[in-house]
Amino acid sequence: MRSIYGVIFLSVALWGGFGTAQTVDILSGSHDAIILSDETEFEVLGQGKAYVRYSRKVQINNDEGKGYGIPGVSENKFIKKKKIDVRILSTDGEELKKYKNSDILKEDYSPGYSLYSDSRYQWINSTWPKFPYVVEYSTEAEMSTLFFWPDWFPQKNVPVLSSSYKLVLRDTTVAFRTHAVNMETSPKTIRSSSVSHIWNAALLPAFESEDYMSKNNSNRMILRFTPERFALENSFGHFRDWNGLAQWYRGLTADRLILPELIRQEVAALVNPDDDAKTKISKLYAYLQNNSRYVSIDLGIGGWQPYSAQSVFENKYGDCKDLSTLMVAMLDVVNIPAHLALTPTRDAINFIEEFPSNQFNHCIAVVPLPEDTVWLECTADYIPAGELPYSVEGAKVLVVEAEGGKIIQTPVSRPEDNLMTSRTEGRIGEDGALQMSGWFATTGNRSSYVRGRFIGVEIEKQQDWLRSRLISLSASRFDLAEFTVENLAENVDQPCVVHFSGEMKNFATRSASRLFLSPNVINQFSKKYPPEESPDERKFSVSFNYAFEDADTVYISLPPGYALEAAPPQETIESEFGTYRIEYELADNRLRYLRQFRLETREIPLEKYAAYREFISEVVKRDNMQFVLKR
């Protein structure tokens, strides 16, 4: 009998453990894959031994769905692969292929950034040339710690017919806690010589992403787990509160923050005794940036425990925790107290403050001055002291202090901190091309982005990016003649300035007596900029990397004898989300055009989505309106 999952439309109204009725429409042709069953089992034998097993059966419908049928196991000193079993079936259940151990592929994590690492990934590239097909696989790994207790992610980006999580406690003294995100479910509990808890979910619709959706929403339904106590090699800690994790981490790092006397003398010579605290911080931070590079060395507990400040200073490399440790140690030399801070980045899962657990993937340094708090991202080579990249702006971080720890939030940059200003001069030829030269200057996150397009990038790719950046919506291409960049890898506390010149083809469209053009060549919102979803369809808030501000001025010399016939209205549009202003004048065959845009916030809550979408649609409309000049 042919599998029903491949041929029929299934519409099921269900009342599950999630509290509301749902309707799931599953049609094989409309989904890249369908997960028929997805099972997780975590068997705990004690604090120092556990097994995690995954079993999945998934129908693959096209090339885009192949990834759902490729099993793998992440390994390090604490997690070791025991098995990967895979076979491919037809939708009728006929076995098409069974893979062997010799088919297992292995690769180290981040080989380009890791000097030494015991972390690697093992997987089987289980695919079949003819669709649809079914992949059935199971994996097993042995864990020597409960620190990395696996969570449950029942909902995927494709439909899931059945999902379960089974927790087997062979050691019934092991205590744990759970936290449900966007789901309500209670386990079935079975007690004998061991205790088993089983969570089930069924007929879950595909989780669909939206335009400008925060990465924090990438997994809609989650059940988080954490042990109350944990051991990592010979270090012990607890997750009963955040102090437990902070005290454990302080124990890992305390002896790593000490510099020997010769290095202390070298560090002390980097500052002047009369410098104020912020000047000393800036000088030592600049020294760290100029004399170290990011390299990961993850061996055993080294994924969490930093190398000593002395070794990082002498070897001139390290990862986030290593470089932050050196920064804190150098500040201690000049009598400025500083702390390590564990943080999740913006691409991590939602941080749950009321659920102390292993939720961090990054480390920075914090300096609590009497009049201010200075944050230091020690892996960033090209930002000034006190600035944070958007990836850790507004993050809840655990500051590790001598007596424990506390959760505080990093600051969020303002629109004026992420500024782009520009000035362009150009002349339109008889063929409609624009001969132009000018500059644009950036600050804050805008500078970080621009520097990332140039530093360490091949010249051809630099040119390609600049060409794509300098093109009006109405133009066909930009022929770049030359460019230079100021304050690229040096003077990073100053705006990064790009100077350019070249010719923009088909900038103006000509008719018998008219010219049609869009004057702004730096910042124009395309018609695709507003989120696609209507207010009735939107399910999540709108999220941007950061708030920002644009201020662009363009001067264009026209062929003789043209007057302005039609143009967008000169006006200022104000809303709680931002401000948009355009202003222009035509005098002596020279058009002056001013455009200003300010986005006030990086997060637009769902309840304000309709008003935001209306505001940004008005901005896009005016950015896309052409000037009409008549001879």
Side-chain angles (χ1 to χ4, degrees):
M1 178 178 176
R2 186 175 174 86
S3 166
I4 63 170
Y5 308 121
V7 297
I8 71 168
F9 181 86
L10 177 63
S11 180
V12 182
L14 79 128
W15 290 86
F18 305 106
T20 58
Q22 302 180 57
T23 299
V24 182
D25 293 334
I26 299 175
L27 182 64
S28 66
S30 62
H31 298 287
D32 298 332
I34 301 173
I35 296 176
L36 311 179
S37 64
D38 192 34
E39 301 172 357
T40 301
E41 180 180 295
F42 191 50
E43 182 183 11
V44 179
L45 283 72
Q47 284 291 338
K49 191 171 184 179
Y51 291 93
V52 59
R53 304 178 181 97
Y54 296 102
S55 300
R56 177 178 286 185
K57 192 172 184 178
V58 54
Q59 179 173 302
I60 310 300
N61 293 325
N62 54 42
D63 280 327
E64 286 70 27
K66 287 181 177 179
Y68 294 96
I70 297 179
V73 174
S74 297
E75 290 189 304
N76 55 40
K77 181 174 181 179
F78 308 105
I79 305 173
K80 299 298 181 185
K81 176 193 71 72
K82 302 300 290 184
K83 74 168 187 177
I84 302 178
D85 292 335
V86 190
R87 63 179 187 149
I88 294 180
L89 311 173
S90 72
T91 54
D92 296 322
E94 176 188 359
E95 183 175 288
L96 302 175
K97 183 172 182 177
K98 187 171 183 177
Y99 289 86
K100 305 174 183 177
N101 285 338
S102 57
D103 295 314
I104 296 176
L105 304 171
K106 302 175 184 180
E107 184 173 352
D108 291 337
Y109 277 118
S110 304
Y113 299 93
S114 183
L115 188 60
Y116 303 110
S117 176
D118 58 10
S119 299
R120 65 176 181 175
Y121 188 66
Q122 296 197 42
W123 81 101
I124 289 179
N125 188 24
S126 48
T127 62
W128 194 251
K130 185 177 180 181
F131 301 107
Y133 61 88
V134 174
V135 177
E136 184 179 72
Y137 70 76
S138 61
T139 67
E140 182 180 52
E142 182 178 345
M143 301 174 63
S144 60
T145 177
L146 302 183
F147 188 79
F148 304 108
W149 194 304
D151 297 319
W152 184 35
F153 302 89
Q155 191 174 31
K156 316 294 184 184
N157 290 334
V158 296
V160 177
L161 300 191
S162 173
S163 182
S164 67
Y165 188 107
K166 183 178 182 180
L167 170 62
V168 182
L169 296 175
R170 302 292 183 196
D171 181 350
T172 56
T173 66
V174 171
F176 70 97
R177 291 179 293 110
T178 64
H179 185 96
V181 179
N182 295 313
M183 59 188 290
E184 297 175 7
T185 183
S186 299
K188 175 183 177 182
T189 300
I190 303 171
R191 299 182 185 276
S192 57
S193 59
S194 61
V195 179
S196 296
H197 303 283
I198 305 171
W199 291 262
N200 287 292
L203 298 174
L204 301 177
F207 178 72
E208 298 180 2
S209 61
E210 298 177 327
D211 289 342
Y212 305 104
M213 186 180 78
S214 170
K215 291 183 179 179
N216 288 335
N217 290 321
S218 60
N219 290 292
R220 188 179 181 183
M221 295 179 179
I222 311 171
L223 186 62
R224 305 294 300 270
F225 291 83
T226 189
E228 286 198 0
R229 296 184 298 114
F230 64 86
L232 209 60
E233 289 192 355
N234 295 318
S235 66
F236 303 89
H238 69 82
F239 285 126
R240 290 189 293 273
D241 53 37
W242 288 116
N243 274 332
L245 180 60
Q247 289 170 354
W248 169 75
Y249 199 69
R250 179 69 179 177
L252 289 185
T253 61
D255 64 345
R256 308 299 171 106
L257 293 163
I258 301 170
L259 289 170
E261 183 58 31
L262 287 178
I263 294 179
R264 291 179 67 87
Q265 293 175 11
E266 189 174 342
V267 170
L270 297 173
V271 302
N272 296 320
D274 296 334
D275 288 339
D276 61 24
K278 285 194 173 181
T279 301
K280 291 178 179 178
I281 293 169
S282 294
K283 287 182 177 180
L284 294 182
Y285 184 66
Y287 176 86
L288 181 76
Q289 291 175 310
N290 296 328
N291 292 274
S292 65
R293 60 192 177 97
Y294 176 86
V295 174
S296 175
I297 308 175
D298 294 336
L299 296 172
I301 201 171
W304 278 83
Q305 186 175 45
Y307 282 82
S308 70
Q310 177 182 351
S311 67
V312 179
F313 185 91
E314 292 173 344
N315 294 323
K316 301 186 184 304
Y317 59 71
D319 65 8
C320 61
K321 60 188 180 299
D322 302 322
L323 298 173
S324 297
T325 295
L326 174 57
M327 189 70 223
V328 171
M330 289 195 299
L331 289 169
D332 178 69
V333 171
V334 296
N335 299 313
I336 297 178
H339 309 294
L340 298 175
L342 302 176
T343 176
T345 53
R346 288 194 76 193
D347 57 357
I349 300 170
N350 275 341
F351 183 81
I352 306 166
E353 186 171 353
E354 64 271 24
F355 188 64
S357 55
N358 176 17
Q359 299 184 55
F360 305 104
N361 62 353
H362 192 48
C363 183
I364 58 179
V366 56
V367 189
L369 298 178
E371 71 283 1
D372 194 10
T373 298
V374 179
W375 296 90
L376 301 171
E377 168 54 89
C378 298
T379 64
D381 291 334
Y382 305 110
I383 64 174
E387 279 192 16
L388 287 175
Y390 73 86
S391 58
V392 290
E393 282 190 9
K396 294 291 185 70
V397 305
L398 177 62
V399 178
V400 180
E401 300 178 334
E403 301 302 322
K406 58 184 177 182
I407 298 290
I408 61 177
Q409 184 168 316
T410 62
V412 176
S413 60
R414 304 164 299 172
E416 58 268 29
D417 297 326
N418 305 307
L419 178 64
M420 176 179 281
T421 57
S422 73
R423 180 184 174 97
T424 307
E425 298 264 1
R427 178 179 298 276
I428 298 177
E430 291 298 327
D431 58 354
L434 179 70
Q435 296 288 338
M436 57 182 283
S437 63
W439 55 264
F440 60 86
T442 54
T443 64
N445 284 297
R446 309 289 285 277
S447 280
S448 295
Y449 175 76
V450 171
R451 289 185 171 110
R453 308 281 75 76
F454 289 99
I455 296 175
V457 177
E458 297 175 357
I459 185 65
E460 292 80 6
K461 292 183 178 179
Q462 295 180 17
Q463 294 169 338
D464 288 344
W465 177 79
L466 191 53
R467 289 188 191 99
S468 67
R469 193 72 183 77
L470 299 170
I471 187 163
S472 165
L473 293 173
S474 59
S476 60
R477 75 172 193 268
F478 179 68
D479 290 341
L480 181 64
E482 60 181 9
F483 72 93
T484 58
V485 186
E486 294 179 21
N487 304 325
L488 184 57
E490 298 179 349
N491 303 318
V492 295
D493 59 331
Q494 299 299 311
C496 181
V497 185
V498 180
H499 297 266
F500 58 86
S501 64
E503 181 182 60
M504 191 172 291
K505 300 292 187 181
N506 299 325
F507 173 75
T509 304
R510 301 178 64 96
S511 69
S513 60
R514 289 178 173 84
L515 285 176
F516 303 86
L517 57 93
S518 296
N520 190 14
V521 297
I522 302 294
N523 289 302
Q524 282 184 314
F525 289 164
S526 75
K527 294 178 181 178
K528 297 179 181 179
Y529 192 82
E532 182 180 359
E533 298 84 13
S534 70
D536 292 336
E537 297 170 328
R538 188 80 186 187
K539 297 182 178 65
F540 295 100
S541 61
V542 174
S543 178
F544 299 101
N545 288 337
Y546 44 82
F548 63 90
E549 187 172 342
D550 298 330
D552 304 307
T553 305
V554 182
Y555 293 92
I556 299 175
S557 296
L558 307 171
Y562 280 90
L564 190 61
E565 183 179 44
Q570 299 197 65
E571 61 181 333
T572 300
I573 304 174
E574 294 183 340
S575 81
E576 63 179 300
F577 314 110
T579 305
Y580 176 80
R581 171 174 171 248
I582 57 173
E583 175 187 300
Y584 52 84
E585 65 176 352
L586 180 62
D588 299 325
N589 274 347
R590 192 169 186 248
L591 176 67
R592 180 183 67 86
Y593 172 83
L594 171 69
R595 177 191 182 274
Q596 295 177 327
F597 177 80
R598 180 181 171 96
L599 179 68
E600 290 290 348
T601 177
R602 65 178 187 169
E603 298 289 339
I604 313 295
L606 183 60
E607 60 269 21
K608 296 183 178 182
Y609 171 69
Y612 165 76
R613 191 167 184 264
E614 181 179 353
F615 163 69
I616 208 67
S617 295
E618 289 298 316
V619 172
V620 171
K621 176 182 176 182
R622 282 155 179 77
D623 265 1
N624 282 267
M625 293 176 69
Q626 289 193 319
F627 284 66
V628 182
L629 302 157
K630 185 176 181 181
R631 191 189 300 274

